Amino acid sequence: MTSAAEQRRGQSKYLAFLIPVGAVLAALLLGAVMLVALGANPLEGFRELFKGAFGSSDALISTALKATPLLFVGVGITIAFRANVINIGGEGQMVAGGLLATVVALTLPDLSAWIMLPAVLIAGLIGGAAWGAVPGALKAYFGVNEILSTIMLNVVAVQLMNYMLRGPLIDPGELERGTRIPQTARLQEGADLPLLFGDGRFHIGPLLAVLVAVAAYVLLWRTPLGYRVRAVGLNPDASKYAGIPVKRTIVLALTLSGAMCGLAGAVLVFGSESHRMVTDGSTAGFTGSAGFNGIVAALFGGLHPIWTIPASFLFGGLLVGGLALQRAVQVPSALILALNGLVVVFVVATDRYRKRMLARDARVDAPEPLAPPSSSPPSDGPEPPGGGDTS
Amino acid sequence: MKKHRMTWLIVVLALALIAAACGDTAEETTTTAASGETTTTTAASGETTTTGAAAEPFRIAIVAPSASNDLAFTQSIVDAVDIIKAEMGNVEVQVTDGTFVVEDAAAAIRAYADDGVDLVIAHGSQYGGSLQEIAPDFPDTSFAWGTAADTFGLDNVFSYEAASDEGGYVMGVMAAALTESGTIGIVGPVEVGDAKLYVDGFIAGAESQDPKPQVLKNYTGSFSDVALASEAAQAFAANGADVMSGTAQMVVGAVTVASDADILWFGTQANQTSLAPSIVVASQVYHWEVVLRDIVAKIQAGTVGGEIYTIDLANGGEVIEYNDAFALPADVKQLGEDTIAGIIDGSITTGG
Amino acid sequence: MSDFFTTAVLVATAASGIRLAVPLLFASLGETFGQRSGVLNLGVDGIMLLGAFGGYYAVLQTGSVWLGLLVGIAVGLLLGLISAVISVTLKAEQGISGIGIYLFGLGMSDLLFQKLVGTPLPITKFPKLNIPILSDIPILGELLFQHSMVVYLAFLAVPVSMYIINKTTFGMNIRAVGENPEAADSLGVSVNRVRYATVTIGGTLAGVAGAALAIDLGIFQQNLTNAAGFIAIALVYFGAWRPVGVMLGSLLYGFVNAIVLQLKTLSIIPPNLSDFAAMAPAIFTILALVIVARRFKAPAALTKPYSRGE
């Protein structure tokens, strides 16, 4: 490869990064119009957004904490996408993971922190894995489309969560007082996520998420299992001929994906302000829609686990900043939600151009399944997920 | 190459804009130690400030899970705070509504406290757990939590709730008196907290009458599913109900069904007459300002928490507001008034 | 349990099920067009919400339910077009762009409602239309022929959709584009134009679904649809991308909801089991799909944007 081509590659990568940034700016511009229509000062609003997201150490902590479930989910989505499976069940998988982790904590209150913490996190993994395995199996062995089954399982998860939080898991204090708020008791301190820097809110969640992202990268590109996942995603027929168990791999991909989301749920429960599982009756009340926003973060990160790290951080910042904007200029929260949607739409809509930038010089690359990537982020594979049967 | 430079130019411009906006701030310093303790001095532009030599405004912030104009839960507190503001004059109000994500609400509560708000109202039972963790970090800030009856033993937390069973009982009594078919229906979201209190009170009131009506009860399972509430009302109607009631914001769906079928309606949390002027008999309206006045007074006198408040018929926090456009027979109204009096003086218990 | 099995109650329950199915039916029929041509639109719920507000507001201001429906159509058309631009021309990742539209619709409809209307005000509903003669048939009459206008429209849309998809050239193109866009392209069919049309139809019907919901309920509120749009999308898979299947799926979902509701009203389902009861529609749908799925394949090009020469 000549140095000129390498140079072009580098510049393309810059442009590729700029495009989603430009998209966000475009969405914010529309948001500014809406702010003006509501009688608010957009400059002040965006200043507060920026400050709320990145303007102080407190803000950075909030952003990191908000980004954590996004990163977990994003990594999970990436794994699934690489196997050509769409996982829209992140919300339900987060709930399932959170529930199982909570159950473990409530059932074994006296374990020492050294065991408790890994135990609840693993429980989160398992809970989410189960919630991902079901659609995986349904797809692989029954041909049930994963979009359908994951959506339906999200619905089931809500009801399960409500039942558990109002029933078996409810804070006994609630029953005594007769208020029956759907929440558990404050979970034992042994299960609190340890804090970095002593007092404060910054727990190990973000660090854990980064580690998991790195692990996912290693899994996908440095292990035979990961190879199989990507192979199935790129060419299921060729994979089958090559002796790769396609069905099992699909189940595995969705299971792993669900596990990541389940971990996000567990971290949410034990790292939350209230150190318990609580909801208002909807999944989003617990997850903050991370199950959906994580998909965006994954896309932002080009479906590469490592790049999903800064992507999640930036997107988390946007979400945190949006809340700060609302408080500062006192617009209805609904505006922030609409803005969130606009950002997603704009980023996704311009993604084609970003991919084009990355793929510009990728012609020379050998087909993916046969060549592990170089140290730079690999060019994106073909369009992710198809909805068809894979038999 | 040119394309490249153009893009860079745009990005630099954007960043410059952001930097300019940031630098625009008047002296505003926020120091945050990792311990979570914060001191904030603010002179930020854009904040509403009182003119002249007026005293510092009393700052109230509300964090609530649904919309400010939901004609139910959140509206009741927003209306109350507006009344306080009108009465006191020098009050600044900030509202973060629609915050059903518990973690986001926690962030908002913390941010308002950090910002120096005098009274942070956490208007949602599900916020309690978070509040328990946040309040100790801001000992000089007053927090009010509703609907609940628990201050966690903290000095800076008030809590408030509604004895909605009382108004429910009264309306159940009147419903039983008004029904001609002998069947009454009541729809609720989920059997928790305020909703449960109201529904139980209503049923107790209805069943205390002679002849005892048949009361159909349905918890739809959701606070927001309007279609389901509408169908619940249809189901009541199909079973012969001619009087209905319900609680939580999704009942608007049930009210319109009642309106179409000429079924009478009793409302709660807010005055629901405007929804169906021809069939709404009365509403139990929450007047949180009755307790807010006391809370604000206490804060200004130096006590920032430690008390539990209840609004009920006796202290005027709950008021049965009749629909003037509805021709309520005088004897039924008298029955209602007698029931109210009975509850206030204790001779009638709602069993709630 | 005997309370439930009286004629009156059964008929009322079934009628309720039909009403609950209507928004699902409109939305999923629309999504069927899009998906059959290979485009997945996850933003249906957002479009429904905006259509619902538009319809609601129009009726609130003018009192005309038909104007409301028209506004629902217009809103849906506009958003359908935008979705088409995003999915077809810009070739965005279909799963995610839809989520963005959903979030936007959810927030925007609520914002508009808060700013333009404020406190909820009731609106005129659709007039009931008792079909002469047929509505007098015992049992069946009340069940099928005494509904509001919009119910008949919804069910009429089913044979119309069937006809379009199966008996017209346009329908043939849709199916071709969904199965094998390269082949269709080589035969002179404009893949993008077909997809533009189907996605716009999908958006339009989603807008109708929302408007129908709001006008039928006679009110608007934030998140009025309560994620019905997502159920509608899932039902397209359930119905094997065929209008009749989609209709059956919508009815199944509506009926299960209605039955659960009635059983709760009659206290046959105790309150502490009501959460499990609420799961019923979702579980039934999955189970039914497992039974049905083997026999039908998805459009082969579903979610794959098309570029000539790719």
mmCIF file of all heavy atoms in Angstrom, chain C residues 48-79:
data_model
loop_
_atom_site.group_PDB
_atom_site.id
_atom_site.type_symbol
_atom_site.label_atom_id
_atom_site.label_comp_id
_atom_site.label_asym_id
_atom_site.label_seq_id
_atom_site.Cartn_x
_atom_site.Cartn_y
_atom_site.Cartn_z
ATOM 1 N N MET C 48 -48.228 7.198 13.838
ATOM 2 C CA MET C 48 -49.578 7.077 14.388
ATOM 3 C C MET C 48 -49.856 8.205 15.374
ATOM 4 O O MET C 48 -50.935 8.811 15.365
ATOM 5 C CB MET C 48 -49.736 5.727 15.097
ATOM 6 C CG MET C 48 -49.990 4.568 14.168
ATOM 7 S SD MET C 48 -49.995 2.985 15.028
ATOM 8 C CE MET C 48 -51.604 2.996 15.784
ATOM 9 N N LEU C 49 -48.866 8.472 16.237
ATOM 10 C CA LEU C 49 -49.079 9.496 17.250
ATOM 11 C C LEU C 49 -49.271 10.869 16.626
ATOM 12 O O LEU C 49 -50.129 11.644 17.048
ATOM 13 C CB LEU C 49 -47.897 9.518 18.227
ATOM 14 C CG LEU C 49 -47.968 8.416 19.280
ATOM 15 C CD1 LEU C 49 -46.633 8.248 19.958
ATOM 16 C CD2 LEU C 49 -49.045 8.731 20.292
ATOM 17 N N LEU C 50 -48.472 11.181 15.621
ATOM 18 C CA LEU C 50 -48.626 12.480 14.978
ATOM 19 C C LEU C 50 -49.939 12.548 14.205
ATOM 20 O O LEU C 50 -50.607 13.582 14.200
ATOM 21 C CB LEU C 50 -47.430 12.765 14.067
ATOM 22 C CG LEU C 50 -46.179 13.155 14.847
ATOM 23 C CD1 LEU C 50 -44.949 13.106 13.959
ATOM 24 C CD2 LEU C 50 -46.334 14.547 15.433
ATOM 25 N N GLY C 51 -50.299 11.445 13.563
ATOM 26 C CA GLY C 51 -51.586 11.403 12.891
ATOM 27 C C GLY C 51 -52.726 11.545 13.879
ATOM 28 O O GLY C 51 -53.729 12.214 13.619
ATOM 29 N N ALA C 52 -52.550 10.933 15.052
ATOM 30 C CA ALA C 52 -53.581 11.025 16.078
ATOM 31 C C ALA C 52 -53.751 12.461 16.531
ATOM 32 O O ALA C 52 -54.869 12.959 16.634
ATOM 33 C CB ALA C 52 -53.218 10.145 17.271
ATOM 34 N N PHE C 53 -52.630 13.143 16.777
ATOM 35 C CA PHE C 53 -52.778 14.522 17.217
ATOM 36 C C PHE C 53 -53.377 15.383 16.116
ATOM 37 O O PHE C 53 -54.246 16.218 16.373
ATOM 38 C CB PHE C 53 -51.448 15.135 17.675
ATOM 39 C CG PHE C 53 -51.595 16.579 18.012
ATOM 40 C CD1 PHE C 53 -52.229 16.939 19.189
ATOM 41 C CD2 PHE C 53 -51.200 17.566 17.135
ATOM 42 C CE1 PHE C 53 -52.434 18.274 19.496
ATOM 43 C CE2 PHE C 53 -51.404 18.902 17.434
ATOM 44 C CZ PHE C 53 -52.018 19.260 18.622
ATOM 45 N N GLY C 54 -52.880 15.189 14.895
ATOM 46 C CA GLY C 54 -53.396 15.986 13.793
ATOM 47 C C GLY C 54 -54.895 15.821 13.640
ATOM 48 O O GLY C 54 -55.640 16.790 13.531
ATOM 49 N N GLY C 55 -55.339 14.558 13.665
ATOM 50 C CA GLY C 55 -56.763 14.298 13.538
ATOM 51 C C GLY C 55 -57.543 14.907 14.693
ATOM 52 O O GLY C 55 -58.570 15.558 14.505
ATOM 53 N N TYR C 56 -57.003 14.701 15.889
ATOM 54 C CA TYR C 56 -57.667 15.237 17.081
ATOM 55 C C TYR C 56 -57.817 16.749 16.988
ATOM 56 O O TYR C 56 -58.892 17.313 17.220
ATOM 57 C CB TYR C 56 -56.859 14.861 18.320
ATOM 58 C CG TYR C 56 -57.290 15.549 19.577
ATOM 59 C CD1 TYR C 56 -58.403 15.113 20.296
ATOM 60 C CD2 TYR C 56 -56.594 16.653 20.065
ATOM 61 C CE1 TYR C 56 -58.806 15.749 21.450
ATOM 62 C CE2 TYR C 56 -57.006 17.294 21.225
ATOM 63 C CZ TYR C 56 -58.097 16.841 21.916
ATOM 64 O OH TYR C 56 -58.487 17.481 23.049
ATOM 65 N N TYR C 57 -56.732 17.402 16.621
ATOM 66 C CA TYR C 57 -56.747 18.858 16.590
ATOM 67 C C TYR C 57 -57.719 19.376 15.540
ATOM 68 O O TYR C 57 -58.444 20.354 15.773
ATOM 69 C CB TYR C 57 -55.333 19.381 16.315
ATOM 70 C CG TYR C 57 -55.170 20.843 16.569
ATOM 71 C CD1 TYR C 57 -55.342 21.355 17.846
ATOM 72 C CD2 TYR C 57 -54.839 21.725 15.544
ATOM 73 C CE1 TYR C 57 -55.196 22.698 18.099
ATOM 74 C CE2 TYR C 57 -54.686 23.064 15.787
ATOM 75 C CZ TYR C 57 -54.863 23.559 17.068
ATOM 76 O OH TYR C 57 -54.712 24.890 17.317
ATOM 77 N N ALA C 58 -57.738 18.698 14.394
ATOM 78 C CA ALA C 58 -58.647 19.122 13.335
ATOM 79 C C ALA C 58 -60.099 19.014 13.792
ATOM 80 O O ALA C 58 -60.906 19.915 13.564
ATOM 81 C CB ALA C 58 -58.422 18.282 12.082
ATOM 82 N N VAL C 59 -60.422 17.901 14.455
ATOM 83 C CA VAL C 59 -61.798 17.739 14.909
ATOM 84 C C VAL C 59 -62.110 18.741 16.008
ATOM 85 O O VAL C 59 -63.209 19.290 16.089
ATOM 86 C CB VAL C 59 -62.041 16.300 15.416
ATOM 87 C CG1 VAL C 59 -63.457 16.153 15.935
ATOM 88 C CG2 VAL C 59 -61.779 15.308 14.314
ATOM 89 N N LEU C 60 -61.120 18.989 16.857
ATOM 90 C CA LEU C 60 -61.334 19.933 17.952
ATOM 91 C C LEU C 60 -61.679 21.308 17.414
ATOM 92 O O LEU C 60 -62.558 22.004 17.927
ATOM 93 C CB LEU C 60 -60.064 20.019 18.802
ATOM 94 C CG LEU C 60 -60.175 20.824 20.101
ATOM 95 C CD1 LEU C 60 -61.139 20.138 21.049
ATOM 96 C CD2 LEU C 60 -58.813 20.982 20.739
ATOM 97 N N GLN C 61 -60.992 21.696 16.353
ATOM 98 C CA GLN C 61 -61.196 23.030 15.814
ATOM 99 C C GLN C 61 -62.421 23.131 14.929
ATOM 100 O O GLN C 61 -63.040 24.181 14.859
ATOM 101 C CB GLN C 61 -59.959 23.471 15.008
ATOM 102 C CG GLN C 61 -58.669 23.458 15.794
ATOM 103 C CD GLN C 61 -58.644 24.521 16.883
ATOM 104 O OE1 GLN C 61 -59.606 24.734 17.618
ATOM 105 N NE2 GLN C 61 -57.538 25.202 17.002
ATOM 106 N N THR C 62 -62.753 22.073 14.216
ATOM 107 C CA THR C 62 -63.824 22.190 13.233
ATOM 108 C C THR C 62 -65.042 21.345 13.518
ATOM 109 O O THR C 62 -66.093 21.547 12.933
ATOM 110 C CB THR C 62 -63.325 21.791 11.830
ATOM 111 O OG1 THR C 62 -63.028 20.388 11.863
ATOM 112 C CG2 THR C 62 -62.088 22.560 11.441
ATOM 113 N N GLY C 63 -64.892 20.364 14.390
ATOM 114 C CA GLY C 63 -66.039 19.512 14.673
ATOM 115 C C GLY C 63 -66.309 18.471 13.607
ATOM 116 O O GLY C 63 -67.230 17.672 13.723
ATOM 117 N N SER C 64 -65.495 18.447 12.571
ATOM 118 C CA SER C 64 -65.755 17.490 11.497
ATOM 119 C C SER C 64 -64.818 16.291 11.608
ATOM 120 O O SER C 64 -63.609 16.416 11.464
ATOM 121 C CB SER C 64 -65.545 18.161 10.137
ATOM 122 O OG SER C 64 -65.290 17.194 9.147
ATOM 123 N N VAL C 65 -65.384 15.123 11.857
ATOM 124 C CA VAL C 65 -64.547 13.938 11.996
ATOM 125 C C VAL C 65 -63.884 13.573 10.676
ATOM 126 O O VAL C 65 -62.798 13.010 10.645
ATOM 127 C CB VAL C 65 -65.329 12.720 12.539
ATOM 128 C CG1 VAL C 65 -65.836 13.000 13.926
ATOM 129 C CG2 VAL C 65 -66.446 12.327 11.618
ATOM 130 N N TRP C 66 -64.528 13.918 9.594
ATOM 131 C CA TRP C 66 -63.964 13.551 8.297
ATOM 132 C C TRP C 66 -62.758 14.406 7.980
ATOM 133 O O TRP C 66 -61.762 13.939 7.415
ATOM 134 C CB TRP C 66 -65.026 13.642 7.195
ATOM 135 C CG TRP C 66 -66.164 12.748 7.547
ATOM 136 C CD1 TRP C 66 -67.434 13.118 7.889
ATOM 137 C CD2 TRP C 66 -66.117 11.332 7.685
ATOM 138 N NE1 TRP C 66 -68.183 12.026 8.212
ATOM 139 C CE2 TRP C 66 -67.399 10.898 8.094
ATOM 140 C CE3 TRP C 66 -65.132 10.362 7.495
ATOM 141 C CZ2 TRP C 66 -67.725 9.579 8.317
ATOM 142 C CZ3 TRP C 66 -65.439 9.031 7.711
ATOM 143 C CH2 TRP C 66 -66.720 8.651 8.120
ATOM 144 N N LEU C 67 -62.819 15.676 8.395
ATOM 145 C CA LEU C 67 -61.636 16.511 8.246
ATOM 146 C C LEU C 67 -60.503 15.944 9.089
ATOM 147 O O LEU C 67 -59.345 15.941 8.687
ATOM 148 C CB LEU C 67 -61.940 17.950 8.671
ATOM 149 C CG LEU C 67 -60.818 18.935 8.361
ATOM 150 C CD1 LEU C 67 -60.658 19.060 6.850
ATOM 151 C CD2 LEU C 67 -61.108 20.306 8.959
ATOM 152 N N GLY C 68 -60.880 15.461 10.261
ATOM 153 C CA GLY C 68 -59.876 14.860 11.126
ATOM 154 C C GLY C 68 -59.188 13.697 10.447
ATOM 155 O O GLY C 68 -57.967 13.555 10.487
ATOM 156 N N LEU C 69 -59.991 12.863 9.837
ATOM 157 C CA LEU C 69 -59.434 11.710 9.138
ATOM 158 C C LEU C 69 -58.523 12.175 7.998
ATOM 159 O O LEU C 69 -57.436 11.623 7.771
ATOM 160 C CB LEU C 69 -60.572 10.859 8.586
ATOM 161 C CG LEU C 69 -60.298 9.365 8.444
ATOM 162 C CD1 LEU C 69 -59.860 8.774 9.757
ATOM 163 C CD2 LEU C 69 -61.560 8.660 7.953
ATOM 164 N N LEU C 70 -58.974 13.219 7.320
ATOM 165 C CA LEU C 70 -58.198 13.753 6.204
ATOM 166 C C LEU C 70 -56.843 14.256 6.687
ATOM 167 O O LEU C 70 -55.809 14.025 6.056
ATOM 168 C CB LEU C 70 -58.966 14.897 5.554
ATOM 169 C CG LEU C 70 -58.850 14.974 4.038
ATOM 170 C CD1 LEU C 70 -59.598 13.796 3.441
ATOM 171 C CD2 LEU C 70 -59.447 16.282 3.514
ATOM 172 N N VAL C 71 -56.863 14.953 7.802
ATOM 173 C CA VAL C 71 -55.598 15.443 8.354
ATOM 174 C C VAL C 71 -54.710 14.271 8.740
ATOM 175 O O VAL C 71 -53.498 14.294 8.519
ATOM 176 C CB VAL C 71 -55.858 16.356 9.574
ATOM 177 C CG1 VAL C 71 -54.553 16.671 10.282
ATOM 178 C CG2 VAL C 71 -56.549 17.625 9.138
ATOM 179 N N GLY C 72 -55.321 13.238 9.285
ATOM 180 C CA GLY C 72 -54.545 12.041 9.611
ATOM 181 C C GLY C 72 -53.875 11.492 8.371
ATOM 182 O O GLY C 72 -52.705 11.092 8.385
ATOM 183 N N ILE C 73 -54.617 11.466 7.276
ATOM 184 C CA ILE C 73 -54.059 10.995 6.007
ATOM 185 C C ILE C 73 -52.899 11.885 5.583
ATOM 186 O O ILE C 73 -51.820 11.402 5.216
ATOM 187 C CB ILE C 73 -55.151 10.980 4.916
ATOM 188 C CG1 ILE C 73 -56.183 9.907 5.228
ATOM 189 C CG2 ILE C 73 -54.533 10.746 3.550
ATOM 190 C CD1 ILE C 73 -57.343 9.882 4.264
ATOM 191 N N ALA C 74 -53.127 13.192 5.675
ATOM 192 C CA ALA C 74 -52.091 14.129 5.221
ATOM 193 C C ALA C 74 -50.819 13.991 6.053
ATOM 194 O O ALA C 74 -49.712 13.938 5.511
ATOM 195 C CB ALA C 74 -52.632 15.554 5.294
ATOM 196 N N VAL C 75 -50.986 13.940 7.351
ATOM 197 C CA VAL C 75 -49.824 13.800 8.231
ATOM 198 C C VAL C 75 -49.086 12.504 7.928
ATOM 199 O O VAL C 75 -47.854 12.471 7.796
ATOM 200 C CB VAL C 75 -50.273 13.831 9.702
ATOM 201 C CG1 VAL C 75 -49.130 13.416 10.622
ATOM 202 C CG2 VAL C 75 -50.765 15.208 10.092
ATOM 203 N N GLY C 76 -49.853 11.429 7.781
ATOM 204 C CA GLY C 76 -49.245 10.138 7.504
ATOM 205 C C GLY C 76 -48.525 10.137 6.166
ATOM 206 O O GLY C 76 -47.431 9.578 6.025
ATOM 207 N N LEU C 77 -49.129 10.795 5.205
ATOM 208 C CA LEU C 77 -48.515 10.870 3.887
ATOM 209 C C LEU C 77 -47.173 11.580 3.964
ATOM 210 O O LEU C 77 -46.153 11.102 3.447
ATOM 211 C CB LEU C 77 -49.442 11.636 2.943
ATOM 212 C CG LEU C 77 -49.133 11.461 1.475
ATOM 213 C CD1 LEU C 77 -50.100 10.439 0.912
ATOM 214 C CD2 LEU C 77 -49.270 12.754 0.711
ATOM 215 N N LEU C 78 -47.173 12.714 4.628
ATOM 216 C CA LEU C 78 -45.939 13.487 4.740
ATOM 217 C C LEU C 78 -44.847 12.676 5.427
ATOM 218 O O LEU C 78 -43.715 12.578 4.950
ATOM 219 C CB LEU C 78 -46.216 14.770 5.529
ATOM 220 C CG LEU C 78 -44.999 15.655 5.758
ATOM 221 C CD1 LEU C 78 -44.468 16.165 4.431
ATOM 222 C CD2 LEU C 78 -45.364 16.841 6.660
ATOM 223 N N LEU C 79 -45.207 12.080 6.551
ATOM 224 C CA LEU C 79 -44.202 11.314 7.293
ATOM 225 C C LEU C 79 -43.794 10.062 6.534
ATOM 226 O O LEU C 79 -42.646 9.619 6.620
ATOM 227 C CB LEU C 79 -44.736 10.966 8.678
ATOM 228 C CG LEU C 79 -44.750 12.181 9.584
ATOM 229 C CD1 LEU C 79 -45.618 11.949 10.799
ATOM 230 C CD2 LEU C 79 -43.335 12.498 10.024
#
